Amino acid sequence: MSAETSTHAHHVDTHAHGHDHHDHDHHHEPGFIRKYIFSEDHKTISKQFLITGIFWAIVGGLLSVLFRIQLGYPDADLTWMKPFLGKWISEEGQIVPEFYNALITMHGTILVFFVLTAGLSGTFSNFLIPLMIGARDMASGFLNMLSYWFFFLAGVIMFISFFLATGPASGGWTAYPPLNALHDASQGGVLGVDFWLVSMAVFIVSSLLGSLNYITTIINLRTKGMKMFRMPLPIWAFLLTAVIGVLSFPVLLSAAILLLFDRNLGTSFYLDAINLAGEPLANAGGSPILYQHLFWFLGHPEVYIIILPAMGMVSEILSVHSRKPIFGYTAMIYSLLAITVLSFIVWAHHMFMTGMNPFIGSIFVIFTLIIAVPSAIKVFNWLTTLWRGNIRLNPPMLFAIGFVSLFISGGLTGIFLGNSSIDIRLHDTYFVVAHFHLVMGVAAFFGMFAGVYHWFPKMFGRYMNQTLGYIHFWGTIAAAYLIFFPMHWEIALPRRYYTHSGFEAFSGFEQLNMFISTMAIISFALQLLFVFNFFYSIFFGRKVREMNPYGATTLEWTTPIRPGHGNWEGDIPEVHRWPYDYSKHGRDFIPQTEPLTQYEIEHGEHGDEHDSDIIKSEEHKG
Amino acid sequence: MATGWLIFIAIVLIVVVLFQVTRTLDLVGQLRGGERTTVEMTRFHAMLGLIFIALGMIGFFYSFPLFSDRMVDKHSSNNAIIISKMFLITLWVTGIVFVITNVLLFWFAWQFRHRPGNEAVHFAHSNKLEFIWTIVPTIVLTGLVVFGLQAWTEIMGPAEEDATVVEVTGQQFFWSSRYPGPDGKLGPRDNDLICADNPLGIVTREWVEHRRVTLAGSKKLNHVGEIEVLQNREKEIQELIKQYTAIIDGSPNKYIVAATQDTLALIEKELGKIPGKITIREKALDRINKKYTEEYIAAHADEFTWGYDDPMPSEVHVPVNKQAYLKIMALDVLHNFYIPHMDVKMDAVPGMPTSFKFTPLITTNDKRQELANNPAWSIIEEGDDKPRYAKFNYEVACAELCGTGHSAMKYTLVVDSQEDYDKWIAAQASKWSQVAGSLKLENGFSKYAPVPAPATPMATTTTTPSDTITISLK
Amino acid sequence: MEAAVSTTNAKELWSGGDSPFKVSYGKIMMWYFLISDTFTFAGLLISYGAIRSSQPKHDETNPLSWPDPNHVFNAGPGFHHAPLVFVTFMTFTLILSSVTMVRAVQEGHYMNRAGVLKWMALTILGGLVFVLSQAWEWTHLIHEGMTPSSNPFGAYSFGALFFLITGFHGFHVSVGVLLNSWAFIQTYRGVFDRRGHYEMIEKLGLYWHFVDLVWVYVFLAFYLF
Ligand code: HEM
Ligand SMILES: [Cu+2]
Ligand SMILES: [Cu+2]
């Protein structure tokens, strides 16, 4: 990085609000290692998460390209990959079935956990929480650093599993037993699953360290005047994401421990009456369904862990670039809260077809469809935020709009899936794949892109190339829809199939699959454009020259262009109003730091009359 | 290979050029002043947004009918009819919301774009609006839930008394089925009794005895048990290892050494697996001995005869217009019994039998006739003598990832007219009663020779343990 | 430590610039950690419930039914045929060590280094005795033939669940003993005196009481019912 980075560590003043717990000595310029590698500065850690996330996204994306080749171009000759992939490519130059299963398993695991959980939450919770609430750093910089390094370690373990002779885990990202509990039921089960489980356990530790820090920081270290209901929406989203993480990841941990025991110590928590290839196993008394309950108790909240941060950032970005307050700030918060609570009581909608009691299924149907209500509220509020705005369409804004579109399109299919009777037809088909990729996969990526483009200037003091950003956006949204929309037509096709060619019932989709695969490859290539833009701009992007380039109200834009460790040079600013005073009283925006004028009513205090007044006066004008 | 590189270089070049262009565009934009650029860029991309959503909607409405018969036009079973109806209702509701919200989104981006003279309105909330879009989705969703749960209870409710009962079993990587014989009862099963001759582990006195003999051997029958066979093999291999090692150490011929080393590695691998196999068998034998005591057998004497007459055909047949009740089992890992045409889908869980019911409405033959009218089905494919429709069959697949062969677990469902079905099941029953007859005890032991299993799919596929025996007897 | 803002208004508590709970970040973090750890234990104990409910109830005639704890746990070092005596001793030790922990925290409030040292030593001792007792019990049971995959007393799952859950709890106690020993050394070296507060002891106290509380559930699950 350029010389500008030389930070202002000396200014880290500890007594602004009597709440600085750094026991370390800040009065020395840290060395390279402390500054860039074992750093405790939340901004550096955030960048570490982001860059590691990008690395994993490329790996995960490549895996998907490989299995999409198998699905779309089953006859392609891949002999040229043999030098890299060895026995995973057959003599005829085809991906072998076991490898296909390993590819989809690793793709799912990597994207769900490493990219969209750690890469997304890790990056933005770390970067934005202290900056937006007015704190010098996270509550515990040390634990924060540990959180990253545990994530790194989890990644290393997962990465090593690719090089095992018997290959990485291949039993699906959900790792259902008995397939994943037995050593001889699949090749990935020989050793790959052990690596997978240990990696997950380490990952859970990382996630918990991160979440504990985020929650504590938000509760304890808000600057003066930053009431809970004055917090920008991303902060609410990060807070609730962390709460969900703290409560759901431990349950995955127990599920993983039980599975490790079953695999290696001869226990039978998930196993009963098994006869593998003619060999009766001694295991008795367990239940494979128990695992699914434990897994989805995490698994469903996990999808919200992925989407909530994206929702929060999109809300902020939509508001900033339409120069309008986010519509229904309180409703947005309450719907986030509702989603948080409800996300814990819908898990069994992933298990309608496991033979569980249909009456219990019905209850989960009801809860599941209730969760669609807060989601709907959010969508309508986003739309209304745009309504009568003054919209600047730059890349972050476009990605935010794209997010809303994808979230709508993918969320609506959830209403099919959540209705158990329809799920009989849809369960484990490509319709489900389409659903969760639109609503979670691509949408969360869009949230992440929006965030990166929007806060890049704050992160690196330079801008990303806009035109590349535009191309990236239009290419990606088109490709995403062209990949995942037609997938809804593939209701007939069961997912996780190496090939559908053995069945008459599944024929007739060859062309469509080829089309989808082509689009997938194109969209992967497009992402490299982003990667290039990202790294190029870190070093050579146009420099930021104003403190507040977007005219935003929130605190991060009151820090120096390149904030040092400690963020603000002098005292931490005090907050006097909510973060969405855009286009108010004839002013483009009023920063949170500006005190209310004498007769001004703060939003939310007596907001109702106040807002409808504005509407009325506007209506008169119009 | 060469083309690969060419493509790669081409891509790199394109990217470089593109990038230079974009950089220039960015710089020009800056030189001309941020504000003007913002306005123009906003206009341009808002316009793109309109085009995007227009094309998107056209694509949606164009491509949906292409595949709609694959999505909703299912009518081969009562489940399919109920679900298709639910699907259509939901499709209408969500389809409308989908179109309206997506169009509004991009239209707003155009309509309220930043341009000279446009001002944003400070409109931060409205209880009325928010109330509306809380209450309306709630009502609509309640409606969907009510309909949905009605359908769900109908499909998942208890089966009729006289439903056709079929037991299906999934294992890596095939399905098998079993019917209650003329006595109307399915015999009990036990995993420990599974062997090549009794692939589902049906419990009868004979099979218990048979399994004891195959595991432990019998002096009286002059038969060596699997456990002993393995133990002998273990000794044999240890002996071989000594011999081979001597060859390797002593032979001057490096080819012989290399070849011997390979063989050595193979048998060492085999040796490594033997103790585990012995333990498994010893444990199984132990359990069998503990469980099937004379008293136990006596107490269950009746039950243990149910299995004699259970046919195990190689495909599922059910009569049309009559409810079929599937009992679904799995032997090793999770599977899912999936009949796409019938909207049947239920996990097969080891240790936890599940069930599912459906009423087929169109016989396989009628379905073929129906398809004959479809041009895509009336073609005769290369190398075939009959048109496609004539070969149509309802297929069964697996819908729960179960390992490498997951996508190959194909099975067949035949929907017969009642008459055809009656004939078929009678034939099956007589075939299988012969099998049962050949199994009866002789001198207190079951007849030992492998059972002539008609149409048992597993007879060919199951590997262990009989394989081990043949190898070692050589 | 905490800037004393005298306010009774709940709204102002949350208005930033100060911890709304009037506690340091470390203690809050410990609380949240304990909540999350509760969920881990809950996951294990719920699995216990699910598996146990699917097994046959205790029945003298069925060798695979759920075993009778009075029968399984009836020995201690040097004595036999004394159902649950040893575990009662273990439980008692652990609870006592919680009491001594309370005292240590109290002394910390008074900034009394000698007091803290004394009560921490006793707490560590209690923890050690517990862990060692558990080690003895495990050895004994393994000797009797109970392992994660076998159980001469009845249902296999009993052994598996027992070793898993008491093991996970024992791991927590061991970590606690290590942390307490570390804090003991720090106290001895006067680190907390210099820092001006004994908050570290308080945080460890929270952890210790939690581990104690969890034991009650583990005890109920395996020894009582
Ligand atoms: C409108 C609310 C939603 C409803 C009613 C809903 C319902 C469902 C249901 C019932 C399934 C199970 C389908 C099956 O396997 O048969 C499912 C799968 C899934 N959903 Fe949703 N969903 C909703 C929103 C979301 C959101 C917001 C996300 C993520 C951010 C999400 C992510 C997923 C994922 C990842 C899966 C598939 C997991 C797997 O089987 O691998 N869903 N959804
Ligand atoms: Cu879910
Ligand atoms: Cu399968």
Side-chain angles (χ1 to χ4, degrees):
Chain A
M1 251 167 270
S2 83
E4 270 195 19
T5 339
S6 90
T7 50
H8 305 273
H10 311 277
H11 297 279
V12 177
D13 171 69
T14 44
H15 306 295
H17 294 292
H19 244 94
D20 206 285
H21 294 270
H22 299 281
D23 298 324
H24 346 277
D25 192 357
H26 284 303
H27 297 270
H28 300 286
E29 187 69 19
F32 179 83
I33 295 209
R34 293 289 291 169
K35 197 161 144 192
Y36 294 117
I37 298 177
F38 295 108
S39 168
E40 294 186 11
D41 182 346
H42 70 102
K43 297 184 293 300
T44 311
I45 296 175
S46 134
K47 291 169 202 170
Q48 290 174 326
F49 269 108
L50 181 55
I51 290 170
T52 318
I54 290 177
F55 166 79
W56 279 112
I58 296 174
V59 174
L62 262 180
L63 302 181
S64 74
V65 166
L66 283 177
F67 67 69
R68 271 321 310 189
I69 290 181
Q70 164 59 28
L71 289 170
Y73 299 92
D75 303 324
D77 184 1
L78 304 182
T79 330
W80 62 273
M81 287 187 190
K82 235 175 160 4
F84 315 106
L85 298 175
K87 63 174 191 299
W88 299 123
I89 302 286
S90 71
E91 291 307 318
E92 295 76 44
Q94 248 104 60
I95 288 170
V96 299
E98 176 66 22
F99 187 47
Y100 176 85
N101 288 352
L103 286 173
I104 55 166
T105 303
M106 283 297 149
H107 167 78
T109 309
I110 288 171
L111 279 142
V112 167
F113 293 108
F114 290 177
V115 181
L116 294 179
T117 303
L120 180 56
S121 266
T123 304
F124 288 104
S125 295
N126 259 314
F127 191 73
L128 292 179
I129 290 175
L131 284 174
M132 280 188 150
I133 65 170
R136 300 248 177 241
D137 202 330
M138 283 290 169
S140 167
F142 178 68
L143 291 188
N144 206 20
M145 176 183 87
L146 276 190
S147 161
Y148 172 75
W149 287 104
F150 271 104
F151 167 47
F152 188 85
L153 178 63
V156 170
I157 297 173
M158 197 64 88
F159 199 75
I160 290 174
S161 79
F162 278 101
F163 301 98
L164 297 174
T166 43
S170 64
W173 76 278
T174 47
Y176 282 179
L179 181 59
N180 289 282
L182 303 174
H183 284 99
D184 302 323
S186 67
Q187 275 195 54
V190 177
L191 204 54
V193 176
D194 291 312
F195 275 72
W196 190 94
L197 287 168
V198 172
S199 169
M200 277 336 281
V202 175
F203 181 82
I204 291 168
V205 173
S206 150
S207 158
L208 288 178
L209 287 173
S211 297
L212 292 175
N213 235 323
Y214 307 149
I215 298 177
T216 313
T217 310
I218 295 174
I219 300 269
N220 252 18
L221 298 186
R222 279 164 292 121
T223 180
K224 210 163 166 38
M226 182 62 87
K227 301 177 186 167
M228 295 301 275
F229 281 87
R230 277 180 184 165
M231 292 197 314
L233 285 172
I235 303 302
W236 269 103
F238 299 146
L239 173 65
L240 295 171
T241 304
V243 169
I244 299 180
V246 163
L247 301 185
S248 64
F249 267 115
V251 179
L252 179 66
L253 182 64
S254 26
I257 295 175
L258 293 173
L259 192 50
L260 268 174
F261 266 57
D262 270 6
R263 289 178 56 78
N264 300 312
L265 293 177
T267 57
S268 314
F269 299 119
Y270 303 136
L271 302 175
D272 191 18
I274 288 180
N275 190 301
L276 192 63
E279 309 266 357
L281 306 189
N283 304 81
S287 157
I289 304 301
L290 171 63
Y291 174 86
Q292 297 189 22
H293 280 294
L294 294 175
F295 181 88
W296 287 115
F297 186 83
L298 156 93
H300 185 83
E302 166 65 21
V303 306
Y304 285 99
I305 290 177
I306 287 174
I307 207 69
L308 290 192
M311 285 177 165
M313 292 193 295
V314 162
S315 305
E316 177 74 19
I317 292 169
L318 284 179
S319 168
V320 172
H321 295 297
S322 14
R323 317 306 299 155
K324 245 192 95 195
I326 185 77
F327 184 76
Y329 173 73
T330 6
M332 288 306 230
I333 293 172
Y334 283 118
S335 58
L336 284 176
L337 279 165
I339 288 176
T340 304
V341 173
L342 287 168
S343 73
F344 283 102
I345 50 172
V346 298
W347 77 88
H349 65 213
H350 296 273
M351 300 168 58
F352 287 140
M353 304 288 99
T354 53
M356 79 180 172
N357 183 329
F359 176 71
I360 296 179
S362 310
I363 297 186
F364 279 97
V365 170
I366 296 172
F367 286 140
T368 298
L369 292 195
I370 292 178
I371 209 172
V373 175
S375 311
I377 295 175
K378 297 197 82 82
V379 166
F380 291 124
N381 282 358
W382 285 322
L383 281 176
T384 317
T385 304
L386 295 182
W387 183 73
R388 305 200 64 183
N390 189 17
I391 299 168
R392 293 188 302 230
L393 287 179
N394 45 17
M397 184 62 170
L398 281 172
F399 273 104
I401 291 177
F403 169 92
V404 177
S405 170
L406 290 159
F407 185 75
I408 296 171
S409 308
L412 285 171
T413 49
I415 294 173
F416 291 75
L417 298 167
N419 224 336
S420 52
S421 52
I422 311 182
D423 193 47
I424 297 173
R425 178 174 293 176
L426 302 178
H427 174 64
D428 261 346
T429 66
Y430 270 87
F431 192 92
V432 178
V433 179
H435 158 69
F436 69 76
H437 276 90
L438 283 181
V439 74
M440 174 181 81
V442 191
F445 256 107
F446 270 51
M448 190 155 149
F449 286 137
V452 172
Y453 281 106
H454 186 82
W455 280 288
F456 193 90
K458 191 79 248 161
M459 285 182 167
F460 298 102
R462 291 171 184 271
Y463 292 101
M464 288 179 77
N465 180 313
Q466 285 238 353
T467 317
L468 275 184
Y470 283 127
I471 299 175
H472 177 220
F473 170 75
W474 286 112
T476 309
I477 193 167
Y481 266 117
L482 289 173
I483 293 168
F484 294 113
F485 216 88
M487 240 182 227
H488 292 105
W489 308 159
E490 300 186 334
I491 287 183
L493 297 190
R495 67 195 273 218
R496 294 171 169 171
Y497 261 42
Y498 170 66
T499 169
H500 296 93
S501 63
F503 292 80
E504 188 72 68
F506 307 149
S507 64
F509 292 95
E510 295 78 10
Q511 304 256 314
L512 190 59
N513 266 337
M514 195 187 289
F515 175 78
I516 291 175
S517 294
T518 315
M519 285 305 142
I521 294 167
I522 293 177
S523 106
F524 178 74
L526 273 168
Q527 303 320 305
L528 297 181
L529 212 64
F530 166 79
V531 175
F532 172 77
N533 191 357
F534 180 82
F535 286 106
Y536 180 88
S537 306
I538 290 180
F539 299 104
F540 309 110
R542 186 162 55 83
K543 280 193 185 154
V544 177
R545 304 208 185 278
E546 329 153 62
M547 260 171 69
N548 189 355
Y550 301 127
T553 56
T554 40
L555 289 185
E556 76 270 29
W557 304 107
T558 62
T559 59
I561 290 176
R562 279 168 174 272
H565 196 175
N567 297 338
W568 284 269
E569 296 193 349
D571 285 352
I572 299 181
E574 207 176 301
V575 163
H576 299 278
R577 56 175 76 231
W578 78 321
Y580 296 107
D581 273 338
Y582 289 102
S583 302
K584 191 180 181 188
H585 302 327
R587 283 175 63 186
D588 185 28
F589 72 104
I590 312 175
Q592 277 194 282
T593 47
E594 194 173 307
L596 296 170
T597 54
Q598 200 181 353
Y599 300 106
E600 194 180 352
I601 306 163
E602 187 177 3
H603 170 80
E605 304 269 314
H606 304 284
D608 301 4
E609 309 140 46
H610 171 75
D611 290 323
S612 36
D613 281 354
I614 292 240
I615 292 257
K616 277 194 201 105
S617 66
E618 285 296 325
E619 276 164 0
H620 284 302
K621 261 200 263 171
Chain B
M1 200 70 206
T3 37
W5 279 113
L6 270 182
I7 294 176
F8 179 73
I9 292 170
I11 290 177
V12 169
L13 276 179
I14 293 174
V15 168
V16 169
V17 171
L18 251 172
F19 175 65
Q20 286 307 332
V21 173
T22 59
R23 254 190 65 176
T24 330
L25 282 176
D26 254 29
L27 282 175
V28 171
Q30 281 315 306
L31 288 178
R32 285 184 15 203
E35 169 63 12
R36 213 175 119 198
T37 319
T38 311
V39 171
E40 281 178 14
M41 276 300 173
T42 296
R43 191 188 144 82
F44 178 67
H45 290 281
M47 181 57 102
L48 276 185
L50 289 184
I51 297 173
F52 172 78
I53 197 65
L55 286 180
M57 287 301 155
I58 292 171
F60 171 55
F61 285 106
Y62 165 76
S63 70
F64 182 78
L66 294 184
F67 292 90
S68 66
D69 62 334
R70 297 304 194 105
M71 299 175 66
V72 290
D73 184 27
K74 284 193 185 179
H75 50 270
S76 303
S77 78
N78 67 327
N79 291 0
I81 288 177
I82 299 172
I83 293 172
S84 294
K85 200 174 95 194
M86 272 313 297
F87 191 101
L88 260 187
I89 297 175
T90 316
L91 185 64
W92 273 107
V93 172
T94 53
I96 291 169
V97 179
F98 167 74
V99 173
I100 293 180
T101 46
N102 263 308
V103 167
L104 277 186
L105 182 66
F106 286 93
W107 182 62
F108 283 172
W110 164 259
Q111 183 69 20
F112 305 110
R113 69 187 185 278
H114 172 59
R115 57 185 186 274
N118 184 31
E119 258 177 54
V121 172
H122 185 85
F123 178 36
H125 92 227
S126 145
N127 279 347
K128 199 163 67 189
L129 281 179
E130 282 163 273
F131 179 74
I132 292 176
W133 54 63
T134 310
I135 212 70
V136 172
T138 309
I139 293 172
V140 174
L141 286 168
T142 310
L144 288 176
V145 167
V146 169
F147 285 128
L149 289 186
Q150 269 172 2
W152 175 245
T153 351
E154 195 175 335
I155 296 173
M156 303 303 281
E160 287 160 14
E161 283 287 305
D162 63 341
T164 318
V165 175
V166 191
E167 184 198 74
V168 292
T169 304
Q171 74 193 85
Q172 289 181 332
F173 294 98
F174 52 86
W175 294 103
S176 45
S177 52
R178 184 166 73 121
Y179 285 73
D183 63 354
K185 287 180 180 132
L186 284 164
R189 290 169 54 169
D190 183 343
N191 258 330
D192 285 334
L193 297 189
I194 291 178
C195 62
D197 305 323
N198 183 13
L200 294 182
I202 293 168
V203 186
T204 64
R205 289 193 65 167
E206 286 73 19
W207 284 128
V208 172
E209 202 45 50
H210 176 97
R211 186 72 171 139
R212 273 194 189 129
V213 173
T214 45
L215 287 173
S218 149
K219 289 225 173 68
K220 209 165 168 184
L221 285 181
N222 212 2
H223 190 272
V224 191
E226 284 175 22
I227 296 174
E228 204 181 331
V229 166
L230 284 167
Q231 284 162 346
N232 292 341
R233 177 69 180 158
E234 203 172 6
K235 286 187 202 124
E236 198 180 308
I237 293 183
Q238 274 153 358
E239 208 40 53
L240 282 173
I241 290 179
K242 271 185 216 144
Q243 291 172 14
Y244 288 155
T245 324
I247 296 177
I248 293 169
D249 291 345
S251 173
N253 183 330
K254 69 175 181 197
Y255 297 107
I256 292 184
V257 169
T260 318
Q261 268 165 346
D262 285 353
T263 325
L264 191 62
L266 277 178
I267 57 170
E268 272 175 345
K269 211 170 162 190
E270 190 191 336
L271 185 67
K273 285 188 179 161
I274 289 179
K277 288 188 174 181
I278 293 180
T279 324
I280 284 182
R281 281 171 183 70
E282 281 172 350
K283 281 193 180 160
L285 183 61
D286 187 45
R287 286 193 299 267
I288 291 172
N289 284 335
K290 273 202 187 126
K291 182 168 176 193
Y292 297 102
T293 53
E294 275 311 314
E295 303 90 75
Y296 186 83
I297 295 181
H300 295 80
D302 191 27
E303 251 172 77
F304 285 9
T305 62
W306 295 348
Y308 285 135
D309 59 351
D310 295 351
M312 291 189 271
S314 60
E315 50 189 26
V316 176
H317 282 240
V318 289
V320 72
N321 289 331
K322 189 170 164 228
Q323 198 171 74
Y325 181 67
L326 300 168
K327 294 187 162 179
I328 304 170
M329 324 264 278
L331 289 187
D332 38 30
V333 301
L334 296 178
H335 301 275
N336 184 308
F337 196 77
Y338 173 33
I339 315 178
H341 283 94
M342 302 286 163
D343 276 338
V344 167
K345 195 180 275 165
M346 180 50 70
D347 276 0
V349 185
M352 188 188 95
T354 56
S355 63
F356 205 80
K357 67 185 171 59
F358 69 108
T359 310
L361 300 177
I362 305 179
T363 64
T364 302
N365 276 331
D366 288 351
K367 189 76 183 180
R368 288 178 183 161
Q369 294 316 311
E370 184 188 313
L371 288 172
N373 304 325
N374 183 332
W377 280 86
S378 26
I379 49 168
I380 301 178
E381 278 169 344
E382 261 184 44
D384 268 340
D385 43 358
K386 286 188 232 156
R388 256 183 93 204
Y389 70 80
K391 295 186 304 170
F392 170 85
N393 256 320
Y394 293 115
E395 289 165 327
V396 179
C398 176
E400 184 67 61
L401 182 60
C402 57
T404 312
H406 173 49
S407 58
M409 285 184 65
K410 185 159 125 173
Y411 206 52
T412 304
L413 165 79
V414 179
V415 180
D416 286 325
S417 65
Q418 186 69 45
E419 294 148 55
D420 289 352
Y421 176 76
D422 291 342
K423 267 186 239 156
W424 177 83
I425 192 75
Q428 291 297 324
S430 77
K431 200 149 78 180
W432 283 87
S433 61
Q434 287 167 18
V435 179
S438 72
L439 270 173
K440 289 285 157 63
L441 295 178
E442 277 173 18
N443 329 318
F445 291 98
S446 63
K447 256 168 87 175
Y448 196 64
V451 183
T456 311
M458 280 129 298
T460 46
T461 1
T462 313
T463 46
T464 46
S466 36
D467 278 2
T468 341
I469 301 173
T470 38
I471 297 168
S472 53
L473 291 180
K474 260 180 218 159
Chain C
M1 246 312 287
E2 278 83 40
V5 179
S6 59
T7 165
T8 45
N9 187 337
K11 253 190 173 170
E12 272 173 42
L13 272 183
W14 286 89
S15 61
D18 194 12
S19 166
F21 299 123
K22 299 274 167 284
V23 288
S24 74
Y25 80 88
K27 256 197 267 178
I28 293 201
M29 225 182 250
M30 181 54 90
W31 273 110
Y32 289 123
F33 167 73
L34 295 181
I35 293 175
S36 99
D37 218 25
T38 308
F39 271 68
T40 319
F41 274 108
L44 297 178
L45 287 170
I46 286 170
S47 306
Y48 161 87
I51 291 174
R52 174 165 181 181
S53 65
S54 73
Q55 306 278 315
K57 290 212 170 50
H58 180 65
D59 170 5
E60 290 298 336
T61 60
N62 180 354
L64 285 179
S65 66
W66 203 255
D68 173 14
N70 290 316
H71 178 54
V72 182
F73 308 107
N74 69 351
F79 60 92
H80 280 287
H81 311 299
L84 303 189
V85 170
F86 189 51
V87 72
T88 311
F89 161 74
M90 281 166 65
T91 309
F92 187 65
T93 318
L94 199 61
I95 290 177
L96 259 191
S97 79
S98 238
V99 176
T100 54
M101 191 73 193
V102 172
R103 291 290 292 117
V105 173
Q106 246 171 13
E107 295 299 332
H109 278 301
Y110 306 143
M111 299 293 293
N112 175 3
R113 180 164 12 152
V116 174
L117 282 176
K118 177 172 121 199
W119 292 111
M120 279 306 276
L122 285 174
T123 311
I124 293 167
L125 186 71
L128 269 180
V129 169
F130 180 87
V131 174
L132 291 176
S133 305
Q134 200 170 36
W136 183 89
E137 190 173 61
W138 274 36
T139 327
H140 170 73
L141 287 170
I142 293 172
H143 223 76
E144 303 254 286
M146 186 162 123
T147 68
S149 57
S150 67
N151 180 9
F153 304 107
Y156 296 151
S157 322
F158 181 85
L161 287 164
F162 175 80
F163 285 111
L164 171 76
I165 296 179
T166 57
F168 197 61
H169 177 264
F171 170 71
H172 275 73
V173 180
S174 312
V175 169
V177 169
L178 285 179
L179 289 175
N180 284 350
S181 310
W182 169 78
F184 181 85
I185 295 169
Q186 297 289 83
T187 313
Y188 179 77
R189 288 167 51 197
V191 174
F192 301 136
D193 267 344
R194 256 171 280 137
R195 200 176 282 173
H197 58 85
Y198 276 83
E199 197 191 279
M200 188 54 78
I201 305 287
E202 272 182 66
K203 283 186 267 188
L204 289 175
L206 288 175
Y207 177 79
W208 196 252
H209 299 319
F210 169 79
V211 171
D212 215 25
L213 183 70
V214 170
W215 175 253
V216 174
Y217 289 95
V218 176
F219 178 73
L220 286 177
F222 289 103
Y223 297 87
L224 272 198
F225 292 114

